[in-house]
Amino acid sequence: MTTNSPSGSTVTEAEAFLAAHPEIEAFDIILHDSNGIGRGKIIRRHELLSIYKSGRHMPISILGLDICGEDVHETGLIWDQGDGDRRAWPIPGTLVPLAGTNPPRGELFLSLYNLDGSQMTSDPRHALQNQVDAWAAEGLYPAGAFELEFFLLENERDQNGKMIPARDVLDRRRNSKTDVYSVDQLHGMLPLFNDVYAGAKAAGIKAETLISEFAPGQYELTLHYRENVMQAADDLMRLKRLVRMHARLHGVTACFMAKPNENYAGSGMHFHVSMLDKAGRNVFVEPVEGQYNNTIKHAIGGLQQTMGESMLVFAPHANSWRRFASQSYAPVSPTWGVNNRSVALRIPAGDIRARRIEHRPAGVDANPYLVAATVLAGIRHGLKHQIDPGPETTGNGYDAETTVIIPEDWRSAIKLAQDSAFLKEALGEDMHRTFTAVKAAEYARVMRTVSEVDFDLYLHTV
């Protein structure tokens, strides 16, 4: 039976891919939950066409899981609906080879739909697509790119249980210094990164600049700007899988925690965003360089005003909140500025034609589909209400004062997000319920866990 795909996928795409890649024996089929974790299956080559013809049944509970992959009943996606099947459909353009696999495999992203073809709206992709569609109805098209920061670590911890920066995969030398922007520091990891670049090229991703970042074992990969912001989020998700896969193959661990080392800066997922009109012109570009237009200023104002209630999207886990500390290169208040890395919303220096907002609060552990959806909704809020962002912050943004309430911890962020009418509209009612329920369940799990810190502080003292 052939059914029209609500995602727009076609059997022709799959047939052409199979003809071009006779070597591929299997495929990772992946959809992403509220935490951005890829859930799915590995199928054999002969099964691919059937997914394009009629989709693939998946249990609705696959989108109601916590970080450990366990059911969160409060999402309403488990027994309230009998854990019935929905249908996953391929996302056009996401069928790619997975370079470096043996035997060769491919990769395909899916999105979940109800059996009648309507959106299953606890799927994060739909939350972002709905924001993109709303902008398109107004003749504007969000473009952007994410930055990927991460650590490469040894597979084993030290005698104190701490993470150890990975030895060079080339000659097994260890470097425990920061060496920010050191080019020589990159050389020992080039075999790994060469494989990552090859994998990205095979997948149609333009991975670009490689940087030794601000902590031992920390790196950054930048991605080419996309005129389709959904494609930018797909790039980020796929690049994370490539880095993790090739790190394993080279005997080290890729770490995408926001803060794996208490003594150094954490890892962010900065989101660069601009808006194009129907002619492809960037509406954030000012007529005279440095005299910023109201469009970009109101966009910044909206992001400022909605940042507090959106912080759970940008910092979704317990570890996320360890990243926010003064002087840590992670923003602690909704400030904005030009060419200033101590603010949350930065207008980068550079060619005026590439004018954009760099949204800096999100950690690398956040879900890029939800981050982008929330940022686009914040921009819409600012333009709709013509919100003035106030004067730009110059100098040290960590010292700036603000009237916008930003939660100080994970629990406060969960509460603000649960009560936020803005976030419910930004994500959609179902995605909002699912996401906040999952976060509340994870908070309860963390709070009832007795950790080594508890024993260290209290065992022999209270």
Side-chain angles (χ1 to χ4, degrees):
M1 180 184 72
T2 300
T3 304
N4 290 332
S5 168
S7 71
S9 60
T10 64
V11 177
T12 303
E13 179 184 1
E15 291 173 336
F17 184 91
L18 291 173
H21 297 280
E23 77 284 359
I24 290 181
E25 298 183 11
F27 295 88
D28 296 2
I29 59 170
I30 301 166
L31 56 83
H32 296 96
D33 68 10
S34 63
N35 278 314
I37 295 173
R39 311 279 183 189
K41 305 178 181 182
I42 298 179
I43 64 168
R44 307 308 296 170
R45 178 184 178 92
H46 69 270
E47 297 179 87
L48 182 68
L49 287 180
S50 68
I51 294 177
Y52 277 81
K53 291 176 179 178
S54 54
R56 184 77 175 234
H57 284 115
M58 296 276 191
I60 192 173
S61 59
I62 199 169
L63 294 179
L65 305 176
D66 67 8
I67 196 70
C68 298
E70 296 188 9
D71 292 339
V72 177
H73 297 280
E74 291 80 4
T75 62
L77 301 180
I78 318 299
W79 300 123
D80 289 4
Q81 303 194 40
D83 196 16
D85 279 345
R86 299 300 184 268
R87 190 172 288 166
W89 288 93
I91 303 303
T94 66
L95 179 60
V96 299
L98 259 180
T101 52
N102 185 25
R105 298 199 319 276
E107 183 179 68
L108 174 65
F109 285 178
L110 307 173
S111 197
L112 203 61
Y113 291 81
N114 294 313
L115 298 181
D116 64 2
S118 61
Q119 290 182 351
M120 198 280 139
T121 47
S122 287
D123 185 324
R125 286 188 68 93
H126 293 318
L128 176 53
Q129 189 61 55
N130 290 338
Q131 286 294 330
V132 171
D133 291 345
W135 279 110
E138 299 179 15
L140 290 172
Y141 305 89
F146 289 91
E147 296 175 7
L148 180 66
E149 295 179 356
F150 56 95
F151 284 79
L152 293 176
L153 305 171
E154 291 289 288
N155 294 333
E156 305 297 331
R157 304 184 198 181
D158 68 14
Q159 63 273 21
N160 297 313
K162 302 295 185 182
M163 297 294 186
I164 309 170
R167 293 179 183 271
D168 290 349
V169 299
L170 184 64
D171 54 19
R172 300 304 294 161
R173 288 190 301 170
R174 186 187 305 288
N175 190 336
S176 59
K177 296 183 296 182
T178 297
D179 265 351
V180 64
Y181 282 89
S182 169
V183 176
D184 289 344
Q185 171 67 13
L186 300 175
H187 289 171
M189 289 294 182
L190 280 183
L192 190 163
F193 285 115
N194 288 340
D195 286 347
V196 171
Y197 280 119
K201 182 178 180 181
I205 300 172
K206 292 184 179 179
E208 298 186 327
T209 305
L210 174 64
I211 302 168
S212 176
E213 262 290 354
F214 204 71
Q218 188 183 33
Y219 300 88
E220 177 185 285
L221 276 169
T222 61
L223 286 157
H224 188 71
Y225 218 70
R226 295 288 199 178
E227 292 187 358
N228 180 338
V229 77
M230 180 69 80
Q231 199 169 18
D234 285 344
D235 284 352
L236 192 283
M237 293 303 251
R238 185 159 274 147
L239 189 60
K240 284 180 74 172
R241 291 198 82 225
L242 285 169
V243 170
R244 181 176 283 118
M245 180 180 76
H246 288 293
R248 283 178 176 173
L249 292 174
H250 283 276
V252 299
T253 295
C255 174
F256 299 104
M257 292 171 62
K259 185 79 168 179
N261 190 321
E262 65 266 29
N263 296 318
Y264 293 95
S267 293
M269 190 179 70
H270 303 162
F271 178 39
H272 296 251
V273 60
S274 56
M275 287 283 178
L276 308 179
D277 65 15
K278 291 181 178 179
R281 292 184 294 257
N282 182 358
V283 300
F284 284 168
V285 174
E286 66 269 25
V288 178
E289 186 166 3
Q291 297 179 16
Y292 302 105
N293 64 28
N294 283 334
T295 303
I296 195 169
K297 287 197 290 186
H298 291 158
I300 290 171
L303 292 172
Q304 282 182 322
Q305 192 172 99
T306 58
M307 190 175 294
E309 55 202 301
S310 304
M311 279 304 297
L312 186 63
V313 172
F314 310 143
H317 307 293
N319 180 258
S320 308
W321 291 85
R322 306 192 195 285
R323 176 172 163 258
F324 297 101
S326 184
Q327 315 296 325
S328 67
Y329 286 92
V332 293
S333 60
T335 50
W336 79 279
V338 180
N339 195 21
N340 185 340
R341 285 183 170 82
S342 66
V343 298
L345 305 165
R346 172 177 175 247
I347 298 179
D351 190 334
I352 187 173
R353 292 170 296 181
R355 187 64 71 221
R356 62 194 186 276
I357 299 169
E358 180 186 6
H359 184 273
R360 297 172 58 81
V364 74
D365 56 343
N367 182 331
Y369 301 112
L370 299 186
V371 169
T374 304
V375 168
L376 295 183
I379 292 173
R380 173 185 301 281
H381 179 79
L383 296 185
K384 178 181 179 180
H385 298 285
Q386 299 184 5
I387 299 172
D388 183 354
E392 70 169 283
T393 296
T394 57
N396 188 351
Y398 294 110
D399 293 335
E401 296 183 358
T402 178
T403 58
V404 177
I405 298 175
I406 299 295
E408 295 182 354
D409 54 41
W410 193 27
R411 181 183 181 186
S412 301
I414 292 171
K415 178 62 175 172
L416 270 176
Q418 288 171 329
D419 295 341
S420 171
F422 163 77
L423 199 59
K424 183 177 292 187
E425 183 176 355
L427 302 181
E429 186 173 348
D430 290 339
M431 186 71 252
H432 175 267
R433 182 191 66 251
T434 298
F435 178 66
T436 56
V438 167
K439 294 298 105 183
E442 290 174 4
Y443 175 81
R445 175 188 291 271
V446 170
M447 290 307 296
R448 67 174 177 260
T449 301
V450 181
S451 69
E452 285 301 316
V453 172
D454 291 275
F455 291 115
D456 183 52
L457 292 177
Y458 310 121
L459 178 61
H460 299 294
T461 57
V462 295

